[in-house]
Amino acid sequence: MPVTKFSHPDPYKYQTGFDSYHETEAVEGALPVGQNSPQKAPYGLYAEKLSGTAFTAPRHENKQTWVYRIIPAAAHENFVAEDADSYHTRMTTETHKLHHIPNQLRWNPFDLDEEVDWVHGLHLIAGSGDPTQKQGLGILMYAAGKDMGKEAFYSADGDFLIVPQHGVLDIQTELGRIILRPNETCVIPRGVRYRVTLPDGPVRGYICELYQGHYQLPELGPIGSNCLANARDFQAPVAAFDDEEESEYKLYSKFNNTLFAARQNHTPFDVVAWHGNYYPFKYDLGRFNVIGSISFDHPDPSIFTVLTAPSDHVGTAVADFVIFPPRWLVAEGTFRPPWYHRNTMSEFMGLISGDYDAKIGGGFKPAGASLHNVMSAHGPDSGAFEGASNAELKPQKVGDGSMAFMFESAHMVGVSEWGLKTCQKVQPEYNEHSWKPLKRHFVDPNEKA
């Protein structure tokens, strides 16, 4: 695997490649040579291993990174549960507090919130499974208007796949810094500590937290070795560290969807060098290489998969991250929007910008969302159906200025109390507005004139 090394990096430079082995040092010579844990690490640093898989996981699945830091991560006071009233209804996925319903759901745009920081701006919408068993996923919205202070946050529950809709995130992680903008996505792996500041004001977006496994590139099969999201377009941070003596920090832990906090007297961001294949990374959605039909019929939306998290059953995902970017449609004799369907997978859709071509009625807007749960029937609204059924089928560019996405899962997902009621964003007449107006076009050829 490729090895990239930077001796004196700009903290906002990136290493490229997906699931590659990287090594990076902010001070030349900070990486030990020939050993991971020498008796004395260079410059008086401590060696620490960050494991994203079991030690005995197969080599091709094993994820681990060695970090060389000023003070070990273990040096903190005991964690104490935060006041549940301030976050519990927004974060919990306790089974009895999730609503499992077959109705099609759609949400109006979620609000910005200038009163809270990243940690306290996380709102669970839907989820399934159990983070204590490393099974399933959680789907969240975030909205924040304040910088985190001398604080850090990590999730022990799963990997955060972050999809910004509004505003810029400056994410300072243990392993380096990432700037994240709308039309980009970022994955922060389970356990990695980070701090979020907001250089351009309030932010809002979506998160798919993966309790089970890790995100990976989908297999390409007959497509071949290229297209969709190419490995070279993924970016990982380079080492960049703070050196603050006797500096008070607060460390937040999301642990079984409960928020804990601990104090420590040193910065969490003191990693001077690291090497491994377990790290945060980001991806520019504009680099996605779209493919599609150049003859007839509408292909399955799996051709738009950026990242996937496979289940134990081949071809079935705990979570797929799918996007619908600007693209040309040229298929002949074909109903070009997505067909009407009932899916064994649950589909949660969000809109980053623009208009989604299969929903022209105006109810699906940027910062909004929809959920079509297991086997809940859905498809184009009546206006989109009539338009596409009668359109002249010239080559057509769709999605200019738009970016919609989908979190798709084999799990039946329950909707949180916050998502169903508290947020007050559910559209009560979604079904009636979208599909009730569909007209009868059937003509029975056997009916007598």
Side-chain angles (χ1 to χ4, degrees):
M1 283 187 275
V3 175
T4 310
K5 184 172 179 178
F6 295 87
S7 294
H8 299 287
D10 173 342
Y12 292 102
K13 286 183 71 174
Y14 301 100
Q15 309 169 84
T16 60
F18 185 87
D19 204 25
S20 302
Y21 177 89
H22 291 304
E23 61 178 43
T24 169
E25 52 188 13
V27 175
E28 189 171 6
L31 282 173
V33 176
Q35 281 186 275
N36 292 325
S37 182
Q39 185 177 17
K40 289 188 177 181
Y43 305 126
L45 297 171
Y46 288 87
E48 180 178 284
K49 186 179 182 182
L50 180 61
S51 295
T53 53
F55 298 145
T56 52
R59 183 181 287 267
H60 70 279
E61 295 178 1
N62 207 294
K63 290 186 175 293
Q64 61 168 343
T65 288
W66 283 92
V67 301
Y68 302 91
R69 64 192 319 152
I70 297 171
I71 298 292
H76 58 73
E77 297 177 3
N78 284 338
F79 281 99
V80 177
E82 289 280 279
D83 179 9
D85 291 338
S86 66
Y87 73 89
H88 196 264
T89 57
R90 299 180 303 199
M91 201 177 284
T92 182
T93 56
E94 294 173 348
T95 302
H96 67 279
K97 294 190 177 180
L98 292 178
H99 302 267
H100 293 84
I101 52 180
N103 293 333
Q104 304 96 329
L105 296 173
R106 189 161 70 186
W107 288 265
N108 287 320
F110 292 93
D111 295 329
L112 294 167
D113 189 345
E114 299 188 26
E115 302 301 316
V116 297
D117 62 13
W118 172 263
V119 177
H120 298 92
L122 299 173
H123 302 257
L124 184 94
I125 301 175
S128 178
D130 183 352
T132 68
Q133 300 296 315
K134 292 187 170 68
Q135 296 174 343
L137 76 163
I139 298 172
L140 304 92
M141 288 293 300
Y142 69 83
K146 292 183 177 180
D147 293 344
M148 292 176 64
K150 287 200 167 185
E151 299 166 323
F153 170 82
Y154 75 92
S155 175
D157 294 342
D159 293 5
F160 267 37
L161 188 156
I162 304 168
V163 183
Q165 186 277 323
H166 177 87
V168 178
L169 303 175
D170 187 340
I171 306 174
Q172 181 181 17
T173 81
E174 297 176 87
L175 305 182
R177 304 186 78 121
I178 290 174
I179 288 285
L180 192 64
R181 304 172 180 87
N183 236 46
E184 297 178 327
T185 189
C186 171
V187 172
I188 309 290
R190 182 197 307 268
V192 171
R193 299 174 180 183
Y194 62 99
R195 172 178 177 265
V196 177
T197 55
L198 315 177
D200 289 340
V203 297
R204 176 178 55 198
Y206 311 82
I207 297 169
C208 187
E209 184 175 18
L210 181 65
Y211 305 150
Q212 183 173 345
H214 299 287
Y215 290 103
Q216 62 187 56
L217 294 177
E219 298 295 338
L220 294 179
I223 295 173
S225 56
N226 296 290
C227 294
L228 309 189
N230 290 311
R232 70 185 295 262
D233 292 323
F234 287 81
Q235 299 177 305
V238 295
F241 70 100
D242 293 340
D243 185 6
E244 305 175 44
E245 293 189 41
E246 299 298 319
S247 185
E248 182 80 8
Y249 268 79
K250 189 173 185 179
L251 176 62
Y252 289 103
S253 173
K254 181 177 178 289
F255 203 88
N256 190 22
N257 283 305
T258 301
L259 193 64
F260 292 82
R263 298 283 180 181
Q264 62 182 58
N265 64 359
H266 59 96
T267 175
F269 308 110
D270 62 353
V271 174
V272 179
W274 60 268
H275 68 88
N277 66 350
Y278 189 64
Y279 43 75
F281 58 86
K282 81 168 191 172
Y283 175 73
D284 181 348
L285 302 181
R287 297 189 179 189
F288 188 82
N289 188 191
V290 181
I291 64 171
S293 173
I294 54 173
S295 56
F296 61 88
D297 276 351
H298 182 99
D300 296 330
S302 48
I303 61 171
F304 300 112
T305 303
V306 180
L307 293 167
T308 186
S311 70
D312 296 335
H313 186 75
V314 175
T316 304
V318 178
D320 283 330
F321 174 51
V322 179
I323 64 172
F324 302 98
R327 60 204 182 277
W328 281 93
L329 302 182
V330 299
E332 298 178 322
T334 296
F335 183 74
R336 287 178 174 175
W339 8 255
Y340 294 100
H341 62 291
R342 290 169 290 166
N343 194 352
T344 187
M345 307 280 279
S346 298
E347 302 177 16
F348 177 92
M349 284 197 67
L351 186 59
I352 298 170
S353 59
D355 296 311
Y356 178 52
D357 55 288
K359 302 288 184 183
I360 65 172
F364 186 48
K365 297 180 179 179
S370 67
L371 174 63
H372 303 135
N373 226 318
V374 173
M375 301 313 271
S376 294
H378 57 286
D381 58 33
S382 58
F385 174 81
E386 295 295 338
S389 298
N390 297 290
E392 185 179 358
L393 294 182
K394 296 178 179 179
Q396 176 191 14
K397 183 76 174 287
V398 298
D400 259 345
S402 174
M403 182 65 77
F405 72 88
M406 181 165 64
F407 299 144
E408 188 176 57
S409 175
H411 289 251
M412 179 183 292
V413 297
V415 184
S416 72
E417 186 76 9
W418 183 89
L420 191 62
K421 299 177 182 178
T422 311
C423 72
Q424 298 183 345
K425 295 297 180 181
V426 173
Q427 298 177 9
E429 298 177 343
Y430 171 41
N431 186 307
E432 182 175 346
H433 286 170
S434 293
W435 301 296
K436 188 175 180 180
L438 288 169
K439 300 175 182 178
R440 177 186 174 94
H441 294 285
F442 176 65
V443 177
D444 189 344
N446 296 314
E447 187 174 310
K448 293 181 180 179

